[in-house]
Each structure stands twice: as structure tokens, then as C-alpha cells.
């Protein structure tokens, strides 16, 4: 949701370089300067073309104009996420773990740039922002490992001829709503858990801080993690 940024801010915010095998090309600030929502593997604007402003809380200056998605676009995101769920739930725990680790690797390689985005829209000092990026990415690393530990159980039965098995299975699409004060960490904490469990997601970041959300969700599109749908709906 980064759009219509000043050239100065864009040049200061982000130059993404991923050296992993899944993304060999460099990411410039302009290519990450997105104003649209990520739905069904595509960056799409609001159907009516409407946007809302994102301002720097330190000086009140406009940072970006972001697509103002409605209930209609949100329903579309949920429908696409439900379709993706049919495939994503059948990925093995080890496959989901590998994808989450790749996402974690991309973010850790670009944690300074992510911190600069967070500072610009949230107002935290750069030191605090760096700390949140490390904190947030640690959730993805954690859930990448926990994906392989979604164990079931064998329960005692009241009948000699029966055995009771307890299985844990993904339930479907998860709605992820996050606050403005931790725009990076709270998204990764929730999305990481959902993806690790085999669920797909629709994300609604706070309207004050949507840029951090799109910066990390944009990373999923770099390696075609089609299961993550991003829709921004103002209440």
C-alpha cells in the first residue's frame, strides 16, 4: 500500500536485495512503492479507485495514498483465500516450514529497510523499529519450526475394542486484524501461526500503518506464496 511517495522518501526508505535462490533480482524502492492490495497473487486497486492518506505522525506530512478497499474487495479476497486453502492445507508440514523459512530469510536480509518504513509511518525511533523487526521476524522463524510439531494424540478409550485418535487440522481462512502500534510484529505473529497450521489468511492492517504490512506481505509474492491474501478494509 505504498503509493505516490515523494522521491526523497522513496529513495530513503527501501532498496531491497534478496540473495536467496528464490529471488535473485534486486528490489528498488520504486518497485516496492505499492499502493494496492494483494489479492489472489495480484496487486489490485480499489474498484472505485478510491484511496486514503498515510501520514508521518512526526510532522504530519503525507507519505502515501493507499487503496481504500471496500467490503466487495474483501469478500473477493476471502473467496480467493478459500480456494487457495484447498491446496495449501494439503501441503506437508515440512513444505510449509520451508516456505516460512524462506520468508524469514528475506525479511532478515532487509530488516533495516523494513525498520525505516516502520519509523516513517509509525513514528517509533529507528532503534525501536529495528527491535520490532527482529521481534516480528522471530515469530516467523518460530512458527516455521512449529509447523513440523503439530502433533496429534492417542486418547484413552472407554471401550476395549476402540482407539481414540486426536488429530489437529487447519480450519480454513483466518481473518487477521492488527493494531497500529506494532504494525510489523503483530501481523507476523498471527500470519506466521496461521500459515504454519495450514490456513490461509486475509489481512487488515491498521489504516494508520498499512505500509509495514504491505512491505512484509510483498515478500511473500517474491516467491509466489499465493496462499497469503492481503485486503485492507477501513471500518
Amino acid at each position: 500500500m505504498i503509493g505516490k511517495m515523494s522521491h526523497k522518501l522513496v529513495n530513503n526508505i527501501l532498496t531491497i536485495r534478496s540473495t536467496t535462490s528464490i529471488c535473485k533480482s534486486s528490489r528498488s524502492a520504486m518497485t516496492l512503492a505499492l499502493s494496492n492490495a494483494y489479492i489472489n497473487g495480484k496487486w489490485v486497486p480499489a474498484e472505485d479507485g478510491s484511496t486514503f492518506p498515510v501520514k508521518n505522525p512526526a510532522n504530519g506530512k503525507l507519505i502515501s495514498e493507499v487503496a481504500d478497499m471496500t467490503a466487495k474487495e474483501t469478500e473477493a479476497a476471502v473467496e480467493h483465500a478459500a480456494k487457495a486453502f484447498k491446496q495449501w492445507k494439503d501441503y506437508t508440514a515440512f513444505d510449509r516450514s520451508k516456505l516460512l523459512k524462506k520468508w524469514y530469510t528475506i525479511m532478515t536480509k532487509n530488516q533495516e529497510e523494513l525498520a525505516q518504513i516502520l519509523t516513517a509511518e509509525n513514528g517509533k525511533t529507528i532503534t525501536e523499529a529495528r527491535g520490532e523487526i527482529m521481534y516480528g521476524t522471530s515469530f516467523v522463524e518460530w512458527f516455521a519450526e512449529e509447523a513440523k510439531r503439530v502433533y496429534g494424540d492417542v486418547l484413552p478409550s472407554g471401550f476395549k475394542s476402540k482407539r481414540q485418535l486426536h488429530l489437529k487440522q487447519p480450519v480454513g481462512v483466518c481473518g487477521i486484524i492488527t493494531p497500529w502500534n506494532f504494525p510489523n510484529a503483530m501481523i507476523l505473529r498471527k500470519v506466521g501461526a496461521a500459515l504454519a497450521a495450514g490456513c490461509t489468511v486475509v489481512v487488515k492492517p491498521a489504516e494508520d500503518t498499512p505500509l509495514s504490512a504491505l512491505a512484509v506481505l510483498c515478500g511473500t509474492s517474491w516467491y509466489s506464496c499465493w496462499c497469503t491474501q492481503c485486503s485492507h478494509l477501513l471500518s
Side-chain angles (χ1 to χ4, degrees):
M1 299 177 187
I2 308 174
K4 298 182 181 177
M5 291 184 174
S6 67
H7 289 288
K8 182 178 179 181
L9 181 61
V10 168
N11 291 331
N12 289 339
I13 282 186
L14 199 54
T15 300
I16 293 294
R17 292 182 177 88
S18 175
T19 57
T20 64
S21 60
I22 53 174
C23 184
K24 297 181 180 179
S25 61
S26 296
R27 280 284 181 175
S28 68
M30 282 301 184
T31 58
L32 192 65
L34 302 168
S35 61
N36 297 330
Y38 187 59
I39 300 176
N40 194 31
K42 299 178 182 179
W43 296 96
V44 297
E47 188 173 301
D48 60 3
S50 61
T51 62
F52 66 93
V54 180
K55 297 182 179 181
N56 186 326
N59 54 29
K61 292 184 178 180
L62 181 69
I63 299 176
S64 172
E65 291 284 347
V66 175
D68 190 359
M69 311 306 279
T70 67
K72 183 176 181 179
E73 287 94 344
T74 303
E75 289 175 359
V78 173
E79 290 176 1
H80 287 299
K83 292 178 181 178
F85 172 71
K86 295 178 182 179
Q87 298 179 56
W88 182 245
K89 68 182 179 66
D90 291 331
Y91 272 46
T92 69
F94 287 89
D95 289 336
R96 295 197 295 268
S97 176
K98 290 177 182 177
L99 286 173
L100 287 172
K101 286 180 180 177
K102 289 178 181 178
W103 188 20
Y104 165 76
T105 299
I106 290 174
M107 289 188 292
T108 54
K109 287 181 180 293
N110 299 284
Q111 56 185 332
E112 179 62 23
E113 292 77 16
L114 293 173
Q116 290 175 25
I117 289 178
L118 197 157
T119 292
E121 67 172 350
N122 175 270
K124 290 184 179 181
T125 64
I126 190 63
T127 300
E128 288 187 56
R130 289 168 182 156
E132 180 175 339
I133 300 304
M134 293 178 63
Y135 177 54
T137 55
S138 71
F139 286 120
V140 177
E141 181 184 31
W142 169 269
F143 287 118
E145 292 299 324
E146 288 302 298
K148 299 179 289 185
R149 301 186 180 94
V150 185
Y151 303 133
D153 206 351
V154 178
L155 306 178
S157 173
F159 303 92
K160 295 181 179 180
S161 60
K162 295 182 179 181
R163 178 180 296 176
Q164 294 182 354
L165 301 178
H166 180 200
L167 301 178
K168 295 179 181 179
Q169 298 177 320
V171 296
V173 180
C174 295
I176 308 297
I177 301 175
T178 56
W180 66 271
N181 56 332
F182 284 90
N184 176 282
M186 292 303 98
I187 282 183
L188 298 181
R189 183 177 186 176
K190 296 179 179 183
V191 172
L195 295 181
C199 297
T200 52
V201 302
V202 173
V203 179
K204 184 219 174 283
E207 58 267 28
D208 292 326
T209 55
L211 308 184
S212 291
L214 287 187
V216 296
L217 293 178
C218 179
T220 66
S221 69
W222 296 347
Y223 63 91
S224 299
C225 185
W226 44 261
C227 58
T228 304
Q229 315 295 324
C230 180
S231 173
H232 189 89
L233 175 63
L234 290 177
S235 57

